[in-house]
Amino acid sequence: MRCVFCNEPAGFLKSYHDACYQKVQALLNKMEKIVNEYNQETIHVADAKKELISIALSSELYQNYVRYEIFNITAIRTNETIVYVESGLNISESKNRCRMVETGYRYEKKPVWTETDNLIGSNVSVAMTDKSVYLLIQGKAMMYPYGKIVNLGYDEKCGYAYFDVKTAS
């Protein structure tokens, strides 16, 4: 098999070289450090983004790794730099729907909100580029530009990440 990082022969039943793995792991640790600095508000968002992109572009091993992780590389626009990929995820969509119900008092209506959760796909890849977040689901790609994302976070109790998208409706 060939090494997923350097594309050279890796050996019998091996998918990577230990040295290549260590180099990519060091880059991932640097990226994690930058994200933690941003979360602790010790680095500005523009500086963090610039550093993450420069780390992603600095290593051909890392670029080979993220290309290997994405099953449909043609879904990513060619003018975007892939910064991070996470594979094997379950993606759900949660929507709040409102309907008006009568209160019985002076014929007024009040909103009643119901939340629905739909599993969009399992074994999904999420690719983060310098311009967008891509959800790569069974041959389809859903692109969310960062300008449309209004909120993102991580729920430590339940162990899931989320983001809210600005919509027209």
Side-chain angles (χ1 to χ4, degrees), residues 58-156:
S58 68
S59 171
E60 189 175 330
L61 293 176
Y62 184 76
Q63 286 296 311
N64 289 341
Y65 163 69
V66 293
R67 285 189 197 105
Y68 176 79
E69 287 291 313
I70 298 174
F71 65 89
N72 184 8
I73 195 69
T74 59
I76 308 291
R77 292 185 176 174
T78 56
N79 64 340
E80 296 186 30
T81 302
I82 303 167
V83 177
Y84 185 73
V85 176
E86 188 73 36
S87 299
L89 303 174
N90 290 334
I91 301 293
S92 296
E93 177 182 46
S94 178
K95 289 185 178 182
N96 276 330
R97 297 284 187 213
C98 179
R99 64 182 176 90
M100 301 300 281
V101 297
E102 291 183 14
T103 62
Y105 180 71
R106 287 201 244 159
Y107 301 105
E108 293 179 347
K109 292 188 175 189
K110 67 173 187 168
V112 174
W113 292 90
T114 55
E115 187 172 327
T116 59
D117 284 330
N118 298 325
L119 181 68
I120 295 175
S122 57
N123 199 18
V124 176
S125 295
V126 175
M128 297 178 192
T129 69
D130 58 339
K131 298 177 183 172
S132 304
V133 174
Y134 288 85
L135 301 180
L136 305 168
I137 305 167
Q138 301 166 353
K140 296 182 226 163
M142 298 165 63
M143 180 185 76
Y144 299 100
Y146 290 123
K148 294 273 187 181
I149 297 174
V150 294
N151 181 28
L152 66 112
Y154 180 74
D155 187 339
E156 291 184 17

Side-chain angles (χ1 to χ4, degrees), residues 5-6 16-31 55 58-62 65:
F5 305 115
C6 68
Y16 57 86
H17 300 113
D18 289 334
C20 295
Y21 176 80
Q22 296 296 330
K23 289 176 185 175
V24 171
Q25 193 63 40
L27 290 174
L28 288 171
N29 289 338
K30 281 184 188 177
M31 293 174 127
I55 289 172
S58 68
S59 171
E60 189 175 330
L61 293 176
Y62 184 76
Y65 163 69

